[in-house]
Amino acid sequence: MGGPSHPEGDAPPRFGDDVHCPYCRHTDSRVVDSRTSDDGASIRRRRLCPACGRRFSTVETTSLSVVKRSGVVEPFSRDKVVSGVRKACQGRPVTDDSLALLAQAVEEAVRASGAAEIEAHDVGLAILGPLRELDEVAYLRFASVYQDFASLVDFEDAIAALRIDHADRPERASDARAGEAADTATDQPRD
């Protein structure tokens, strides 16, 4: 019930029906080797074309769709995650590589749910954690829009939660103090 419908009744489409040989465009191929990627998110298949005898590779990934508030369903896109987070990071010391890693973490988190479709709201929730670790100011900016902060009290609550988090992490505080001590030591003249 509620699952995807297939044009040929209940039979799912067979993989390979639409795979064309990149050399001769023949529509059939034989799988000679399959390997799962390290993260388990994709399968690389080595194929042999019976028409021309050449080998080629395909990569299969599971599709992940995002259901927007309007009901529109679209494929999950790391680029959209980066684009949305980049706005919150404007003027902050955040690199493109950091944003790419954040988008990867978000995708891994939403894929871990095992669902083929995920609500846009859940994608936003998956962004908050990694963004908080990346840059707290950008996190507050994103959270203020995403969680619809209505007053200064909402900001104060979010900042209080960050302060509690800092207090609960003594290693972070001691690392910061050690860095400040090293900076102070290098500023003082030596005898």
Side-chain angles (χ1 to χ4, degrees):
M1 305 190 63
S5 63
H6 302 289
E8 297 157 14
D10 291 341
R14 293 185 343 234
F15 182 81
D17 287 348
D18 296 323
V19 176
H20 297 271
C21 172
Y23 304 106
C24 71
R25 304 294 297 159
H26 188 68
T27 59
D28 192 20
S29 63
R30 184 171 61 92
V31 175
V32 293
D33 184 37
S34 294
R35 295 181 189 215
T36 304
S37 66
D38 291 337
D39 63 0
S42 63
I43 298 174
R44 180 181 172 271
R45 297 202 192 274
R46 195 73 179 136
R47 296 177 168 274
L48 174 67
C49 175
C52 69
R54 297 186 74 178
R55 292 177 181 235
F56 61 97
S57 295
T58 58
V59 177
E60 295 176 36
T61 58
T62 55
S63 64
L64 178 62
S65 300
V66 177
V67 181
K68 300 177 99 175
R69 283 185 216 155
S70 65
V72 173
V73 178
E74 61 183 39
F76 176 86
S77 168
R78 285 187 189 183
D79 291 338
K80 285 193 174 188
V81 170
V82 168
S83 174
V85 173
R86 181 173 278 127
K87 293 172 188 168
C89 294
Q90 195 167 15
R92 302 296 304 153
V94 176
T95 65
D96 287 342
D97 288 343
S98 297
L99 292 177
L101 289 172
L102 180 139
Q104 178 181 349
V106 170
E107 182 175 3
E108 289 171 359
V110 295
R111 282 190 185 278
S113 73
E117 288 187 349
I118 189 161
E119 299 288 327
H121 178 77
D122 294 332
V123 175
L125 289 176
I127 290 171
L128 288 173
L131 184 56
R132 183 175 177 173
E133 293 297 316
L134 180 63
D135 187 280
E136 290 173 341
V137 172
Y139 161 78
L140 286 171
R141 290 174 178 171
F142 188 85
S144 70
V145 173
Y146 183 76
Q147 294 178 332
D148 198 25
F149 285 10
S151 69
L152 289 176
V153 174
D154 294 330
F155 279 97
E156 290 168 348
D157 291 346
I159 291 169
L162 288 172
R163 286 189 173 133
I164 290 169
D165 186 47
H166 278 263
D168 289 344
R169 292 197 223 173
E171 72 281 351
R172 181 183 255 186
S174 65
D175 289 346
R177 283 193 296 267
E180 289 170 8
D183 290 343
T184 305
T186 57
D187 292 340
Q188 296 177 358
R190 294 184 183 230
D191 293 328

